[in-house]
Every structure is written in C-alpha cells, then in structure tokens.
Short mmCIF file of all heavy atoms in Angstrom, two decimals:
data_model
loop_
_atom_site.label_atom_id
_atom_site.label_comp_id
_atom_site.label_asym_id
_atom_site.label_seq_id
_atom_site.Cartn_x
_atom_site.Cartn_y
_atom_site.Cartn_z
N MET N 581 22.27 9.69 3.68
CA MET N 581 22.03 8.58 2.75
C MET N 581 22.35 9.00 1.32
O MET N 581 22.18 10.16 0.98
CB MET N 581 20.58 8.13 2.85
CG MET N 581 20.37 7.16 4.01
SD MET N 581 18.76 6.42 3.97
CE MET N 581 17.81 7.72 4.74
N PRO N 582 22.78 8.06 0.53
CA PRO N 582 23.13 8.37 -0.86
C PRO N 582 21.89 8.56 -1.73
O PRO N 582 20.81 8.06 -1.43
CB PRO N 582 23.91 7.14 -1.31
CG PRO N 582 23.43 6.04 -0.45
CD PRO N 582 23.05 6.67 0.85
N ILE N 583 22.12 9.27 -2.79
CA ILE N 583 21.02 9.52 -3.73
C ILE N 583 21.18 8.58 -4.91
O ILE N 583 22.24 8.50 -5.52
CB ILE N 583 21.04 10.97 -4.22
CG1 ILE N 583 20.80 11.93 -3.06
CG2 ILE N 583 19.97 11.18 -5.29
CD1 ILE N 583 20.90 13.38 -3.46
N TYR N 584 20.12 7.88 -5.20
CA TYR N 584 20.12 6.98 -6.35
C TYR N 584 19.23 7.54 -7.44
O TYR N 584 18.15 8.03 -7.18
CB TYR N 584 19.63 5.60 -5.93
CG TYR N 584 20.55 4.91 -4.95
CD1 TYR N 584 20.26 4.89 -3.60
CD2 TYR N 584 21.71 4.29 -5.40
CE1 TYR N 584 21.12 4.26 -2.70
CE2 TYR N 584 22.56 3.66 -4.51
CZ TYR N 584 22.26 3.65 -3.15
OH TYR N 584 23.10 3.03 -2.28
N GLU N 585 19.72 7.41 -8.64
CA GLU N 585 18.95 7.91 -9.77
C GLU N 585 18.33 6.74 -10.51
O GLU N 585 19.00 5.76 -10.82
CB GLU N 585 19.86 8.71 -10.71
CG GLU N 585 19.09 9.68 -11.58
CD GLU N 585 20.01 10.59 -12.36
OE1 GLU N 585 21.22 10.55 -12.13
OE2 GLU N 585 19.52 11.33 -13.20
N PHE N 586 17.06 6.87 -10.77
CA PHE N 586 16.34 5.80 -11.43
C PHE N 586 15.62 6.31 -12.66
O PHE N 586 15.33 7.49 -12.79
CB PHE N 586 15.32 5.17 -10.47
CG PHE N 586 15.95 4.30 -9.42
CD1 PHE N 586 16.38 4.84 -8.23
CD2 PHE N 586 16.12 2.94 -9.64
CE1 PHE N 586 16.97 4.04 -7.26
CE2 PHE N 586 16.71 2.14 -8.67
CZ PHE N 586 17.13 2.69 -7.49
N LYS N 587 15.33 5.37 -13.54
CA LYS N 587 14.53 5.70 -14.71
C LYS N 587 13.49 4.62 -14.89
O LYS N 587 13.80 3.42 -14.87
CB LYS N 587 15.40 5.81 -15.95
CG LYS N 587 14.62 6.32 -17.14
CD LYS N 587 15.49 6.33 -18.39
CE LYS N 587 14.70 6.83 -19.58
NZ LYS N 587 15.49 6.80 -20.82
N CYS N 588 12.26 5.05 -15.08
CA CYS N 588 11.18 4.11 -15.25
C CYS N 588 11.16 3.59 -16.69
O CYS N 588 11.29 4.33 -17.65
CB CYS N 588 9.85 4.81 -14.94
SG CYS N 588 8.43 3.73 -15.19
N LYS N 589 11.03 2.27 -16.80
CA LYS N 589 11.01 1.67 -18.13
C LYS N 589 9.65 1.80 -18.76
O LYS N 589 9.47 1.59 -19.96
CB LYS N 589 11.38 0.18 -18.02
CG LYS N 589 12.83 -0.04 -17.67
CD LYS N 589 13.11 -1.53 -17.61
CE LYS N 589 14.56 -1.80 -17.21
NZ LYS N 589 14.83 -3.23 -17.10
N LYS N 590 8.69 2.08 -17.95
CA LYS N 590 7.32 2.13 -18.42
C LYS N 590 6.95 3.50 -18.99
O LYS N 590 6.47 3.62 -20.11
CB LYS N 590 6.38 1.77 -17.28
CG LYS N 590 5.04 1.24 -17.72
CD LYS N 590 4.28 0.70 -16.52
CE LYS N 590 2.93 0.13 -16.97
NZ LYS N 590 2.16 -0.35 -15.80
N CYS N 591 7.18 4.52 -18.19
CA CYS N 591 6.78 5.85 -18.62
C CYS N 591 7.98 6.75 -18.90
O CYS N 591 7.83 7.84 -19.39
CB CYS N 591 5.87 6.49 -17.56
SG CYS N 591 6.73 6.98 -16.07
N GLY N 592 9.16 6.23 -18.61
CA GLY N 592 10.35 7.00 -18.90
C GLY N 592 10.65 8.09 -17.91
O GLY N 592 11.50 8.94 -18.13
N ASN N 593 9.96 8.05 -16.83
CA ASN N 593 10.18 9.05 -15.81
C ASN N 593 11.54 8.86 -15.14
O ASN N 593 11.92 7.76 -14.78
CB ASN N 593 9.05 8.94 -14.76
CG ASN N 593 9.25 9.94 -13.64
OD1 ASN N 593 9.71 11.05 -13.87
ND2 ASN N 593 8.91 9.56 -12.43
N GLN N 594 12.23 9.96 -14.99
CA GLN N 594 13.53 9.91 -14.35
C GLN N 594 13.45 10.60 -13.00
O GLN N 594 13.01 11.74 -12.91
CB GLN N 594 14.56 10.62 -15.25
CG GLN N 594 15.93 9.98 -15.15
CD GLN N 594 16.86 10.46 -16.26
OE1 GLN N 594 16.57 10.30 -17.43
NE2 GLN N 594 17.97 11.07 -15.89
N PHE N 595 13.86 9.90 -12.00
CA PHE N 595 13.72 10.48 -10.67
C PHE N 595 14.87 10.04 -9.77
O PHE N 595 15.54 9.05 -10.02
CB PHE N 595 12.38 10.06 -10.07
CG PHE N 595 12.18 8.56 -10.03
CD1 PHE N 595 12.42 7.85 -8.88
CD2 PHE N 595 11.74 7.89 -11.17
CE1 PHE N 595 12.23 6.46 -8.84
CE2 PHE N 595 11.57 6.50 -11.13
CZ PHE N 595 11.81 5.79 -9.96
N GLU N 596 15.05 10.81 -8.74
CA GLU N 596 16.09 10.50 -7.78
C GLU N 596 15.46 10.16 -6.44
O GLU N 596 14.45 10.73 -6.05
CB GLU N 596 17.02 11.70 -7.60
CG GLU N 596 17.86 11.97 -8.82
CD GLU N 596 18.62 13.28 -8.69
OE1 GLU N 596 18.26 14.11 -7.85
OE2 GLU N 596 19.57 13.45 -9.45
N ILE N 597 16.06 9.20 -5.81
CA ILE N 597 15.53 8.77 -4.53
C ILE N 597 16.66 8.66 -3.51
O ILE N 597 17.72 8.13 -3.81
CB ILE N 597 14.79 7.42 -4.68
CG1 ILE N 597 13.44 7.65 -5.35
CG2 ILE N 597 14.62 6.74 -3.33
CD1 ILE N 597 12.48 6.49 -5.18
N ILE N 598 16.39 9.23 -2.38
CA ILE N 598 17.35 9.12 -1.30
C ILE N 598 16.94 7.96 -0.40
O ILE N 598 15.94 8.02 0.29
CB ILE N 598 17.40 10.42 -0.48
CG1 ILE N 598 17.78 11.59 -1.40
CG2 ILE N 598 18.38 10.29 0.67
CD1 ILE N 598 17.67 12.93 -0.71
N THR N 599 17.68 6.90 -0.51
CA THR N 599 17.32 5.71 0.23
C THR N 599 18.57 4.91 0.58
O THR N 599 19.65 5.19 0.08
CB THR N 599 16.34 4.84 -0.58
OG1 THR N 599 15.93 3.73 0.20
CG2 THR N 599 16.97 4.34 -1.85
N SER N 600 18.39 3.96 1.38
CA SER N 600 19.52 3.12 1.76
C SER N 600 19.76 2.05 0.70
O SER N 600 18.91 1.77 -0.13
CB SER N 600 19.26 2.46 3.11
OG SER N 600 18.14 1.63 3.03
N PHE N 601 20.93 1.47 0.78
CA PHE N 601 21.30 0.48 -0.22
C PHE N 601 20.34 -0.70 -0.23
O PHE N 601 20.02 -1.26 -1.27
CB PHE N 601 22.72 -0.01 0.07
CG PHE N 601 23.26 -0.91 -0.99
CD1 PHE N 601 23.80 -0.38 -2.16
CD2 PHE N 601 23.23 -2.29 -0.85
CE1 PHE N 601 24.31 -1.21 -3.15
CE2 PHE N 601 23.74 -3.13 -1.82
CZ PHE N 601 24.28 -2.59 -2.97
N ALA N 602 19.86 -1.04 0.92
CA ALA N 602 18.97 -2.19 1.04
C ALA N 602 17.58 -1.89 0.48
O ALA N 602 16.91 -2.77 -0.05
CB ALA N 602 18.86 -2.61 2.49
N GLN N 603 17.21 -0.64 0.59
CA GLN N 603 15.86 -0.28 0.18
C GLN N 603 15.76 0.08 -1.30
O GLN N 603 14.69 0.12 -1.87
CB GLN N 603 15.38 0.91 1.02
CG GLN N 603 15.01 0.54 2.45
CD GLN N 603 13.77 -0.33 2.52
OE1 GLN N 603 12.78 -0.03 1.89
NE2 GLN N 603 13.82 -1.41 3.26
N LYS N 604 16.89 0.34 -1.89
CA LYS N 604 16.86 0.79 -3.29
C LYS N 604 16.39 -0.30 -4.23
O LYS N 604 16.17 -0.06 -5.41
CB LYS N 604 18.23 1.30 -3.71
CG LYS N 604 19.24 0.22 -4.02
CD LYS N 604 20.50 0.85 -4.58
CE LYS N 604 21.53 -0.20 -4.94
NZ LYS N 604 21.15 -1.02 -6.09
N ASP N 605 16.29 -1.51 -3.70
CA ASP N 605 15.81 -2.61 -4.51
C ASP N 605 14.29 -2.60 -4.65
O ASP N 605 13.73 -3.27 -5.51
CB ASP N 605 16.25 -3.93 -3.87
CG ASP N 605 16.99 -4.81 -4.87
OD1 ASP N 605 17.63 -4.25 -5.78
OD2 ASP N 605 16.94 -6.03 -4.72
N LYS N 606 13.68 -1.85 -3.79
CA LYS N 606 12.22 -1.82 -3.78
C LYS N 606 11.68 -0.47 -4.26
O LYS N 606 10.60 -0.05 -3.89
CB LYS N 606 11.72 -2.11 -2.37
CG LYS N 606 12.19 -3.45 -1.86
CD LYS N 606 12.03 -3.53 -0.34
CE LYS N 606 12.64 -4.83 0.16
NZ LYS N 606 12.67 -4.87 1.62
N VAL N 607 12.49 0.15 -5.08
CA VAL N 607 12.08 1.46 -5.56
C VAL N 607 11.04 1.33 -6.65
O VAL N 607 11.14 0.47 -7.52
CB VAL N 607 13.30 2.23 -6.09
CG1 VAL N 607 12.89 3.52 -6.78
CG2 VAL N 607 14.25 2.53 -4.95
N THR N 608 10.06 2.17 -6.57
CA THR N 608 9.06 2.21 -7.62
C THR N 608 9.01 3.60 -8.23
O THR N 608 9.45 4.57 -7.62
CB THR N 608 7.66 1.85 -7.07
OG1 THR N 608 7.37 2.69 -5.97
CG2 THR N 608 7.60 0.41 -6.62
N CYS N 609 8.48 3.66 -9.42
CA CYS N 609 8.40 4.92 -10.13
C CYS N 609 7.56 5.93 -9.34
O CYS N 609 6.51 5.61 -8.80
CB CYS N 609 7.78 4.71 -11.51
SG CYS N 609 7.61 6.24 -12.45
N SER N 610 8.08 7.13 -9.27
CA SER N 610 7.40 8.16 -8.50
C SER N 610 6.21 8.72 -9.26
O SER N 610 5.43 9.49 -8.74
CB SER N 610 8.38 9.29 -8.18
OG SER N 610 8.84 9.90 -9.36
N LYS N 611 6.09 8.32 -10.50
CA LYS N 611 5.02 8.86 -11.34
C LYS N 611 3.90 7.85 -11.55
O LYS N 611 2.75 8.12 -11.26
CB LYS N 611 5.60 9.27 -12.69
CG LYS N 611 4.76 10.30 -13.41
CD LYS N 611 5.52 10.78 -14.66
CE LYS N 611 4.74 11.85 -15.38
NZ LYS N 611 5.49 12.34 -16.56
N CYS N 612 4.29 6.67 -12.03
CA CYS N 612 3.27 5.67 -12.34
C CYS N 612 3.31 4.48 -11.38
O CYS N 612 2.57 3.53 -11.52
CB CYS N 612 3.41 5.20 -13.78
SG CYS N 612 4.86 4.16 -14.06
N ASP N 613 4.24 4.55 -10.44
CA ASP N 613 4.34 3.53 -9.41
C ASP N 613 4.73 2.16 -9.97
O ASP N 613 4.46 1.12 -9.37
CB ASP N 613 3.01 3.44 -8.65
CG ASP N 613 3.25 2.93 -7.22
OD1 ASP N 613 4.26 3.33 -6.62
OD2 ASP N 613 2.43 2.16 -6.72
N SER N 614 5.35 2.16 -11.10
CA SER N 614 5.77 0.90 -11.70
C SER N 614 7.05 0.38 -11.03
O SER N 614 7.88 1.15 -10.56
CB SER N 614 6.01 1.10 -13.19
OG SER N 614 6.63 -0.04 -13.74
N LYS N 615 7.16 -0.90 -11.00
CA LYS N 615 8.36 -1.50 -10.39
C LYS N 615 9.46 -1.68 -11.41
O LYS N 615 10.58 -2.04 -11.07
CB LYS N 615 7.99 -2.87 -9.81
CG LYS N 615 7.16 -2.76 -8.54
CD LYS N 615 6.95 -4.17 -7.98
CE LYS N 615 5.77 -4.18 -7.02
NZ LYS N 615 5.40 -5.56 -6.65
N GLU N 616 9.10 -1.49 -12.66
CA GLU N 616 10.09 -1.66 -13.71
C GLU N 616 10.95 -0.42 -13.85
O GLU N 616 10.80 0.37 -14.78
CB GLU N 616 9.39 -1.98 -15.03
CG GLU N 616 8.84 -3.39 -15.06
CD GLU N 616 8.39 -3.78 -16.46
OE1 GLU N 616 9.24 -3.84 -17.34
OE2 GLU N 616 7.20 -4.01 -16.65
N VAL N 617 11.82 -0.28 -12.91
CA VAL N 617 12.72 0.85 -12.96
C VAL N 617 14.15 0.35 -13.03
O VAL N 617 14.47 -0.72 -12.53
CB VAL N 617 12.54 1.76 -11.72
CG1 VAL N 617 11.17 2.40 -11.71
CG2 VAL N 617 12.78 0.98 -10.44
N GLU N 618 14.98 1.12 -13.66
CA GLU N 618 16.38 0.76 -13.75
C GLU N 618 17.22 1.86 -13.12
O GLU N 618 16.93 3.05 -13.27
CB GLU N 618 16.78 0.54 -15.21
CG GLU N 618 16.58 1.74 -16.10
CD GLU N 618 17.12 1.47 -17.50
OE1 GLU N 618 17.78 0.46 -17.70
OE2 GLU N 618 16.85 2.30 -18.38
N GLN N 619 18.23 1.43 -12.44
CA GLN N 619 19.07 2.40 -11.78
C GLN N 619 20.06 2.99 -12.75
O GLN N 619 20.70 2.27 -13.52
CB GLN N 619 19.80 1.75 -10.62
CG GLN N 619 20.54 2.77 -9.77
CD GLN N 619 21.40 2.11 -8.71
OE1 GLN N 619 21.30 0.93 -8.48
NE2 GLN N 619 22.23 2.89 -8.07
N LEU N 620 20.15 4.28 -12.72
CA LEU N 620 21.11 4.95 -13.57
C LEU N 620 22.40 5.14 -12.79
O LEU N 620 22.43 5.74 -11.74
CB LEU N 620 20.56 6.31 -14.01
CG LEU N 620 19.24 6.27 -14.76
CD1 LEU N 620 18.77 7.69 -15.06
CD2 LEU N 620 19.37 5.51 -16.07
N ILE N 621 23.44 4.55 -13.33
CA ILE N 621 24.73 4.64 -12.66
C ILE N 621 25.56 5.73 -13.30
O ILE N 621 25.88 5.65 -14.48
CB ILE N 621 25.46 3.29 -12.73
CG1 ILE N 621 24.60 2.21 -12.09
CG2 ILE N 621 26.80 3.40 -12.05
CD1 ILE N 621 25.13 0.81 -12.33
N SER N 622 25.88 6.69 -12.52
CA SER N 622 26.64 7.82 -13.04
C SER N 622 28.12 7.53 -12.92
O SER N 622 28.82 8.05 -12.07
CB SER N 622 26.27 9.10 -12.28
OG SER N 622 26.31 8.84 -10.90
N GLY N 623 28.56 6.63 -13.78
CA GLY N 623 29.96 6.26 -13.77
C GLY N 623 30.78 7.26 -14.54
O GLY N 623 31.79 7.77 -14.08
N CYS N 624 30.32 7.56 -15.73
CA CYS N 624 31.01 8.52 -16.56
C CYS N 624 30.24 9.83 -16.57
O CYS N 624 29.07 9.87 -16.91
CB CYS N 624 31.13 7.99 -17.99
SG CYS N 624 31.98 6.40 -18.07
N SER N 625 30.92 10.84 -16.18
CA SER N 625 30.25 12.14 -16.17
C SER N 625 30.25 12.74 -17.56
O SER N 625 31.28 13.00 -18.16
CB SER N 625 30.96 13.09 -15.21
OG SER N 625 32.35 13.09 -15.48
N ILE N 626 29.07 12.91 -18.07
CA ILE N 626 28.93 13.44 -19.43
C ILE N 626 28.69 14.94 -19.37
O ILE N 626 27.61 15.41 -19.10
CB ILE N 626 27.77 12.74 -20.16
CG1 ILE N 626 27.97 11.22 -20.16
CG2 ILE N 626 27.64 13.27 -21.59
CD1 ILE N 626 26.75 10.45 -20.61
N ASN N 627 29.76 15.65 -19.61
CA ASN N 627 29.65 17.10 -19.58
C ASN N 627 29.90 17.67 -20.97
O ASN N 627 30.95 17.42 -21.56
CB ASN N 627 30.65 17.70 -18.59
CG ASN N 627 30.28 17.37 -17.16
OD1 ASN N 627 29.11 17.40 -16.80
ND2 ASN N 627 31.27 17.07 -16.36
N SER N 628 28.97 18.39 -21.46
CA SER N 628 29.13 18.97 -22.79
C SER N 628 30.01 20.22 -22.70
O SER N 628 29.80 21.08 -21.87
CB SER N 628 27.76 19.33 -23.36
OG SER N 628 27.07 20.17 -22.48
N GLY N 629 30.95 20.24 -23.56
CA GLY N 629 31.82 21.41 -23.61
C GLY N 629 33.06 21.24 -22.75
O GLY N 629 33.82 22.17 -22.57
N SER N 630 33.24 20.06 -22.25
CA SER N 630 34.40 19.82 -21.42
C SER N 630 35.48 19.10 -22.22
O SER N 630 35.34 17.93 -22.56
CB SER N 630 33.98 18.99 -20.21
OG SER N 630 35.03 18.96 -19.27
N LYS N 631 36.53 19.80 -22.55
CA LYS N 631 37.57 19.20 -23.35
C LYS N 631 38.88 19.15 -22.57
O LYS N 631 39.00 19.69 -21.48
CB LYS N 631 37.76 19.99 -24.65
CG LYS N 631 36.60 19.78 -25.62
CD LYS N 631 36.88 20.50 -26.95
CE LYS N 631 35.74 20.25 -27.93
NZ LYS N 631 35.92 20.99 -29.19
N GLY N 632 39.83 18.51 -23.18
CA GLY N 632 41.12 18.40 -22.55
C GLY N 632 41.16 17.31 -21.51
O GLY N 632 41.81 17.44 -20.48
N PHE N 633 40.48 16.26 -21.76
CA PHE N 633 40.44 15.16 -20.80
C PHE N 633 41.22 13.99 -21.37
O PHE N 633 40.69 13.15 -22.08
CB PHE N 633 38.99 14.77 -20.54
CG PHE N 633 38.83 14.10 -19.20
CD1 PHE N 633 38.45 14.85 -18.09
CD2 PHE N 633 39.05 12.73 -19.06
CE1 PHE N 633 38.30 14.24 -16.85
CE2 PHE N 633 38.90 12.13 -17.82
CZ PHE N 633 38.53 12.88 -16.71
N ASP N 634 42.50 13.96 -21.11
CA ASP N 634 43.30 12.88 -21.64
C ASP N 634 43.39 11.74 -20.65
O ASP N 634 43.41 11.92 -19.45
CB ASP N 634 44.70 13.38 -22.00
CG ASP N 634 45.40 13.95 -20.78
OD1 ASP N 634 45.00 15.06 -20.36
OD2 ASP N 634 46.30 13.30 -20.25
N GLY N 635 43.43 10.56 -21.22
CA GLY N 635 43.49 9.39 -20.36
C GLY N 635 42.98 8.18 -21.11
O GLY N 635 42.43 8.28 -22.20
N GLY N 636 43.18 7.06 -20.55
CA GLY N 636 42.76 5.82 -21.23
C GLY N 636 41.56 5.20 -20.57
O GLY N 636 41.53 4.02 -20.29
N SER N 637 40.61 6.01 -20.32
CA SER N 637 39.43 5.49 -19.66
C SER N 637 38.47 4.89 -20.68
O SER N 637 38.30 5.44 -21.78
CB SER N 637 38.72 6.61 -18.89
OG SER N 637 37.68 6.07 -18.12
N SER N 638 37.91 3.78 -20.36
CA SER N 638 36.98 3.14 -21.28
C SER N 638 35.58 3.73 -21.11
O SER N 638 34.66 3.08 -20.72
CB SER N 638 36.95 1.64 -21.02
OG SER N 638 36.60 1.39 -19.68
N CYS N 639 35.52 4.99 -21.41
CA CYS N 639 34.25 5.69 -21.25
C CYS N 639 33.77 6.18 -22.62
O CYS N 639 34.42 6.99 -23.27
CB CYS N 639 34.44 6.88 -20.31
SG CYS N 639 32.90 7.56 -19.75
N GLY N 640 32.67 5.65 -23.05
CA GLY N 640 32.13 6.07 -24.31
C GLY N 640 32.96 5.58 -25.49
O GLY N 640 33.21 6.30 -26.44
N GLY N 641 33.41 4.34 -25.42
CA GLY N 641 34.21 3.80 -26.49
C GLY N 641 33.39 2.87 -27.35
O GLY N 641 32.88 1.86 -26.89
N PRO N 642 33.20 3.26 -28.59
CA PRO N 642 32.42 2.42 -29.51
C PRO N 642 33.13 1.10 -29.82
O PRO N 642 34.30 1.11 -30.16
CB PRO N 642 32.29 3.27 -30.77
CG PRO N 642 33.42 4.24 -30.71
CD PRO N 642 33.72 4.44 -29.24
N GLY N 643 32.45 0.05 -29.69
CA GLY N 643 33.07 -1.23 -29.99
C GLY N 643 33.39 -2.00 -28.74
O GLY N 643 32.99 -3.15 -28.57
N SER N 644 34.10 -1.36 -27.87
CA SER N 644 34.52 -2.05 -26.65
C SER N 644 33.32 -2.34 -25.75
O SER N 644 32.33 -1.62 -25.77
CB SER N 644 35.53 -1.19 -25.89
OG SER N 644 34.91 -0.05 -25.38
N GLY N 645 33.46 -3.36 -25.05
CA GLY N 645 32.39 -3.71 -24.16
C GLY N 645 31.62 -4.93 -24.66
O GLY N 645 31.72 -5.30 -25.81
N GLY N 646 30.91 -5.47 -23.85
CA GLY N 646 30.15 -6.65 -24.24
C GLY N 646 29.18 -7.01 -23.14
O GLY N 646 28.52 -6.18 -22.62
N GLY N 647 29.20 -8.25 -22.87
CA GLY N 647 28.51 -8.66 -21.78
C GLY N 647 27.22 -8.43 -21.33
O GLY N 647 26.54 -9.00 -20.69
ZN1 LIG Q 994 6.79 5.33 -14.45
#
C-alpha cells in the first residue's frame, strides 16, 4: 500500500500513514485525533543543495498559479 503524508491543521503534527486510497479520506491526526488534516502531496521534491536542474517545470514559481 502507498504511504500518504498528512499534516494536522490543528496541532501541526506531520505524520505518514500507510493506507488504501479509499481509506485515506478518513485519516485522523495520530497525535490529537483531529479530522482536520490535509494531505501533503510530494509533487516537487525539495532538496537543498541540489543544483543543475534545468527544465521548464512549474515548480516553485512565484506568480504563476492560481486557483
Ligand atoms: Zn493533530
């Protein structure tokens, strides 16, 4: 099963949960048991010290984006 990363909006706890896609909707904070959690999507890998990455990816672009 895939690992989903969540962050609690209430206490700020960040945790990972191994669950199915259907069950990830019912994830609660592992610390305070709050339902107000948001899934962290690791779309852009933020690695410090990693240079030489050329390309036109819309990752971390100030201004762009909306919605
Ligand atoms: Zn919490």
Side-chain angles (χ1 to χ4, degrees):
M581 277 189 278
I583 297 176
Y584 295 101
E585 202 172 354
F586 286 88
K587 187 184 179 182
C588 178
K589 290 181 182 178
K590 204 171 181 182
C591 72
N593 178 36
Q594 214 167 301
F595 55 99
E596 291 172 342
I597 285 197
I598 301 173
T599 184
S600 62
F601 187 81
Q603 285 292 313
K604 78 173 181 69
D605 233 29
K606 301 163 186 172
V607 172
T608 54
C609 179
S610 62
K611 202 173 182 178
C612 72
D613 207 38
S614 170
K615 287 185 199 170
E616 287 191 64
V617 294
E618 60 175 351
Q619 188 187 350
L620 302 176
I621 302 170
S622 48
C624 303
S625 51
I626 304 169
N627 291 320
S628 55
S630 191
K631 287 185 179 176
F633 204 95
D634 59 287
S637 187
S638 57
C639 194
S644 69

